[in-house]
Amino acid sequence: MADSTSSANRFYLTTPIYYVNARPHLGHAYSTIVCDAIARRKRALGIETWFLTGTDEHGQKIERSAEQAGCSPQEFTTKIAAEFRGLWDRLGLTYDDFIRTTEERHKRGVQKLFSTLRDRGFIYKGSYSGQYCVFDEAYVEGPPGTPCPDCGRMTETVSEENYFFKLSAFERKLLEFYESNPGFMGPESTRREVISFVRSGLKDLSISRTSITWGIPVPGDEKHVIYVWLDALVNYITAIGYGSDDPKDQKKFEKFWPADIHLIGKEISRFHCVYWPAFLMAAGIPVPRSVRANGWLLFDQGKMSKSRGNIVRAETVDEVLGADALRYFLLREIPFGQDGNFSFDALVQRYNGDLANGYGNLVSRVVNMVHKYFGGVVPEMPSSDAPSIVQQTLEGFPAAFDALNFSGALQQLWALVAETDGYLTENAPWKKPTDRSDSDHQKLQARVLTDAAEGIRIITALVYPILPDAAAKVWRQLGQGEIGDAARNAFLKNLAWGGLTPGTKFGEPAPLFPRAEKDAIERMQNLEDSNNRSAVDAASQGEATALSQAAAAPSEVPATAVNTADGRANEALTPPTAGSSADQQHISIDDFAKVDLRVAQILVAERVPKADKLLRLEVDLGYEKRQILAGIAQYYEPEKLIGRKIVIVANLAPRKMRGLESNGMLLAASLPPDGAPVLAGFLEEVPLGARLK
Ligand code: MSP
């Protein structure tokens, strides 16, 4: 991989901006942590660095998520964007700016770029009829009924008058550009994929939608909103001043653009390596220096994602082992650019092996001995030459890190940890052989401990971008002051053997990485389980309401809707229970008529992974088939439900749970004391789709 270090003394790097349709998880944290490590290293080298992250807030997917959450898109996006930002702050990530695509500065820049492209003749109006994947916000080739090639979800047919971008005009230009800039994109797999995509021919790209409103209007033709990917990609320039009239912003743009690295997930390479450079070329703006794709973080065999229901939250790891442990694991365990497995076991193993028993133990031994034998003051010693492994690490670590080979860089650094540890053990400064004089022993102690402490100083300086909290503690223990100040003074620029001067007063020893006991895994699992439970409970609030009413009237069996998808409907459907009729509001017959109750037959029933309560049902209404999620898994064996006729609320707004859409709700009695459901049914034969009134 090419060295992505820019030659200029400024560095601009970006994360993808995250969709706010879901809360942040480890997959999102991964890209942001990688960027944070790079940014910290660049700053500590004295390079003026700008690290941008943010949230992608427009588009149909977000609009629908807001609708399902029952709030306005603006409210919804503000809430989730704050969660992303809050998590980055909690993890101590040092972004310089956080852009939201709903901000004015962004809208202004997107509209300016659109106008520029139009003025330069790269945009025309046409009509689009084809397939669109709402989940990926991407146009898909193929007839109606074609699933999305990326996520496998069914596409929707879109027929609209659209603005088009003349992407076809850039096929040759892009291929030439890739050829003459081999370092532009990586890893190699991404490069190959992108080139073959462009070689297979580029069609013009639809860049506006009229069927949605949650987006940035096309300047001068406001019934169109700008396609979410064009909107989103432009964040990289609007955040540093593109589109602003303020000379300060313009200067910033000139200073930082083009970006040195756009760090992205591999699934969005096409947008960053094809569309984005084409837009920029068309607008006469320089293209970014490089795009680097990280692989996927896998959990339970699949890409960690909300829609698969297999996420782990960064907060959980932070709470039990700390943010440094997470950073170390992600960068050491997963070769950058490849997919990698996350597991609590592997995390704890790395933590105990490399951090607690490795680096942490080494620091503790040396700092304690300097206190014990020299009163915490670095003894007077003639300087020594750098051991060859130190010299190798001082060269090898930066080379690997700057090529984004974090795992390799850390491997080299840990070889130095092991070597330093071995040097201590071999010389055993804590043990005085009987045939050694006191003064010889003191000399040996001084030599061994100053060399080991110097080794730790080098290791700590190098590892600072990856373990900033631990490095800060060690820096103080080595009597070096605040590592943040050292970083601001570009301490990595002149890092060399021999910096630990005699007479330096060490700080108090303090534990770095307390060994994780057996219960650490269990604690993390419990935190995740209780979080998942509360997510399911939040989604099944209606069930709780209905069931608590049932419990209050043990003699009655209230008919209640046990599909947990929509609490509001449950409340409406639960009839007054004994003793509560006085304060129960009556509804009119018209209100009742609004509820479309229908007979349906269960065709498919299966459990939803990681959701103990949920079953996924496919039901036949006679006139259509649909999917429903029902909170009855603890009471009904899925196989026994197949073929059974049930009653469903057919006109309930769709709702997503565990990434699956539920289109309706089934009815069941709810039995005290724990609300066991009994499905509503019929004694006589009833046709599918028959309405209950
Ligand atoms: N909004 C777009 C990006 C626009 S950039 C101009 C988007 N958002 S996303 O929220 O779906 O994903 C953003 C990024 O999150 C991915 O590209 C990837 O970097 C990261 N990841 C989300 N899940 C991930 C894993 N399980 N593993 C690794 N990274 C993943 O796409």
Side-chain angles (χ1 to χ4, degrees):
M1 195 183 286
D3 180 350
S4 40
T5 309
S6 133
S7 53
N9 205 35
R10 92 310 160 269
F11 195 87
Y12 178 33
L13 87 163
T14 65
T15 69
I17 49 170
Y18 302 101
Y19 283 134
V20 289
N21 62 318
R23 291 184 173 159
H25 57 73
L26 267 188
H28 305 117
Y30 179 39
S31 309
T32 323
I33 284 173
V34 170
C35 280
D36 183 68
I38 300 173
R40 283 178 185 267
R41 181 168 159 81
K42 294 292 172 194
R43 292 191 198 107
L45 283 166
I47 296 168
E48 193 176 354
T49 300
W50 199 256
F51 165 20
L52 173 72
T53 188
T55 40
D56 189 352
E57 305 192 2
H58 288 129
Q60 198 161 353
K61 177 155 77 169
I62 313 282
E63 197 173 20
R64 287 188 186 169
S65 298
E67 207 175 278
Q68 276 159 22
C71 54
S72 72
Q74 192 62 59
E75 276 166 4
F76 182 75
T77 54
T78 299
K79 180 171 169 283
I80 310 278
E83 290 192 23
F84 272 92
R85 205 177 170 135
L87 178 61
W88 301 161
D89 291 340
R90 172 177 176 162
L91 297 176
L93 306 183
T94 56
Y95 56 89
D96 294 289
D97 194 1
F98 186 103
I99 188 156
R100 299 181 54 195
T101 55
T102 46
E103 284 175 60
E104 214 30 61
R105 59 172 173 160
H106 177 70
K107 286 188 195 169
R108 195 176 52 205
V110 171
Q111 290 185 326
K112 175 173 164 179
L113 187 79
F114 192 98
S115 304
T116 307
L117 294 173
R118 193 166 47 189
D119 294 348
R120 292 170 73 113
F122 289 104
I123 288 180
Y124 63 92
K125 219 174 197 178
S127 66
Y128 177 82
S129 182
Q131 300 310 113
Y132 190 74
C133 171
V134 175
F135 185 80
D136 285 325
E137 301 281 13
Y139 296 92
V140 169
E141 293 280 329
T146 305
C148 171
D150 284 335
C151 68
R153 289 176 176 79
M154 197 44 74
T155 52
E156 295 183 10
T157 305
V158 176
S159 295
E160 287 176 345
E161 181 194 59
N162 275 184
Y163 283 96
F164 283 82
F165 171 72
K166 286 189 187 166
L167 185 64
S168 55
F170 290 88
E171 203 175 300
R172 268 249 311 277
K173 252 186 128 175
L174 282 168
L175 289 171
E176 279 164 18
F177 169 71
Y178 303 147
E179 176 100 35
S180 47
N181 294 278
F184 171 67
M185 53 194 169
E188 194 46 37
S189 50
T190 296
R191 188 178 149 75
R192 274 201 304 269
E193 214 178 284
V194 167
I195 292 178
S196 98
F197 174 76
V198 176
R199 279 206 186 120
S200 69
L202 293 178
K203 289 209 179 111
D204 290 351
L205 182 71
S206 164
I207 50 162
S208 74
R209 302 284 311 271
T210 49
S211 56
I212 60 168
T213 50
W214 183 239
I216 300 177
V218 166
D221 195 355
E222 312 249 313
K223 72 175 193 297
H224 289 260
V225 300
I226 296 173
Y227 172 43
V228 65
W229 270 100
L230 172 54
D231 167 346
L233 289 161
V234 182
N235 91 87
Y236 301 132
I237 54 178
T238 56
I240 51 165
Y242 176 83
S244 165
D245 296 329
D246 186 333
K248 266 207 324 259
D249 292 336
Q250 289 168 350
K251 257 177 92 179
K252 186 165 166 189
F253 179 67
E254 277 159 30
K255 179 177 199 174
F256 284 110
W257 192 255
D260 293 273
I261 302 182
H262 288 320
L263 193 115
I264 60 161
K266 65 177 181 181
E267 76 285 6
I268 53 176
S269 308
R270 191 199 334 155
F271 300 98
H272 284 81
C273 302
V274 181
Y275 301 170
W276 182 223
F279 293 148
L280 290 167
M281 285 170 179
I285 300 172
V287 301
R289 291 203 169 94
S290 80
V291 177
R292 288 284 175 272
N294 61 251
W296 286 342
L297 203 56
L298 312 173
F299 189 61
D300 284 347
Q301 315 302 330
K303 181 190 179 197
M304 192 181 284
S305 73
K306 184 197 163 205
S307 52
R308 283 177 196 259
N310 64 344
I311 61 162
V312 175
R313 297 164 320 126
E315 292 90 330
T316 292
V317 181
D318 181 36
E319 186 156 329
V320 176
L321 297 177
D324 274 6
L326 177 61
R327 296 168 72 98
Y328 182 81
F329 177 81
L330 294 174
L331 293 173
R332 171 64 183 83
E333 188 82 7
I334 305 166
F336 185 81
Q338 296 177 22
D339 292 350
N341 269 309
F342 177 85
S343 79
F344 291 125
D345 277 346
L347 171 70
V348 167
Q349 244 178 54
R350 277 261 169 241
Y351 174 88
N352 278 337
D354 295 5
L355 299 178
N357 299 341
Y359 177 54
N361 185 46
L362 172 68
V363 172
S364 146
R365 287 170 93 187
V366 172
V367 172
N368 276 304
M369 281 192 277
V370 170
H371 274 282
K372 186 166 173 190
Y373 303 124
F374 297 101
V377 177
V378 177
E380 210 52 62
M381 259 285 117
S383 59
S384 60
D385 290 337
S388 61
I389 185 169
V390 171
Q391 212 40 56
Q392 281 161 23
T393 313
L394 280 169
E395 286 158 20
F397 180 93
F401 190 112
D402 293 340
L404 310 186
N405 175 10
F406 309 108
S407 182
L410 285 170
Q411 239 167 300
Q412 292 193 42
L413 199 56
W414 254 250
L416 181 54
V417 169
E419 180 88 7
T420 313
D421 214 38
Y423 171 71
L424 276 181
T425 309
E426 199 180 303
N427 290 290
W430 55 89
K431 201 166 74 193
K432 184 173 113 42
T434 43
D435 59 348
R436 193 187 288 156
S437 73
D438 281 356
S439 90
D440 279 356
H441 185 59
Q442 263 225 332
K443 265 191 212 141
L444 177 127
Q445 281 181 319
R447 176 82 279 148
V448 172
L449 290 176
T450 48
D451 284 353
E454 178 58 5
I456 291 175
R457 192 186 68 87
I458 301 271
I459 292 165
T460 303
L462 290 174
V463 87
Y464 155 76
I466 293 162
L467 299 178
D469 292 345
K473 286 186 193 159
V474 178
W475 213 243
R476 272 182 234 123
Q477 291 180 40
L478 294 180
Q480 304 296 297
E482 291 308 310
I483 203 161
D485 295 341
R488 269 185 290 283
N489 290 321
F491 76 140
L492 280 182
K493 208 164 152 183
N494 302 311
L495 187 64
W497 182 260
L500 193 64
T501 45
T504 303
K505 175 101 188 73
F506 270 20
E508 284 308 308
L512 284 184
F513 298 106
R515 228 190 116 71
E517 299 305 332
K518 281 207 186 82
D519 71 339
I521 296 179
E522 208 176 291
R523 279 169 62 208
M524 287 189 280
Q525 269 160 350
N526 287 343
L527 282 169
E528 282 306 293
D529 286 349
S530 68
N531 183 61
N532 289 342
R533 262 201 305 280
S534 53
V536 171
D537 288 348
S540 56
Q541 224 172 22
E543 181 186 22
T545 312
L547 295 181
S548 62
Q549 286 174 349
S555 58
E556 298 215 6
V557 180
T560 182
V562 297
N563 178 315
T564 58
D566 196 308
R568 287 160 299 167
N570 268 346
E571 282 160 29
L573 281 168
T574 308
T577 53
S580 67
S581 55
D583 48 10
Q584 193 79 31
Q585 254 194 352
H586 290 107
I587 60 163
S588 71
I589 188 78
D590 292 341
D591 283 339
F592 175 70
K594 286 185 200 151
V595 184
D596 187 21
L597 297 172
R598 302 270 176 177
V599 176
Q601 186 169 35
I602 299 176
L603 302 177
V604 175
E606 58 189 25
R607 295 186 187 279
V608 175
K610 293 192 155 269
D612 318 342
K613 296 185 184 173
L614 285 186
L615 286 188
R616 189 186 79 81
L617 307 176
E618 280 173 34
V619 301
D620 188 358
L621 279 159
Y623 55 93
E624 70 171 55
K625 298 191 174 89
R626 51 165 89 177
Q627 171 173 287
I628 287 185
L629 299 178
I632 56 174
Q634 285 159 321
Y635 303 96
Y636 282 93
E637 287 300 321
E639 312 77 58
K640 296 205 176 128
L641 287 172
I642 293 167
R644 187 155 171 174
K645 282 189 180 159
I646 54 168
V647 179
I648 71 162
V649 184
N651 61 341
L652 201 62
R655 180 151 182 156
K656 240 186 177 172
M657 298 164 72
R658 301 277 163 168
L660 298 167
E661 198 163 87
S662 185
N663 291 293
M665 174 162 70
L666 56 76
L667 291 193
S670 173
L671 302 188
D674 59 352
V678 178
L679 293 179
F682 300 90
L683 293 175
E684 290 85 9
E685 217 18 72
V686 275
L688 298 186
R691 181 152 191 204
L692 280 81
K693 29 189 190 176

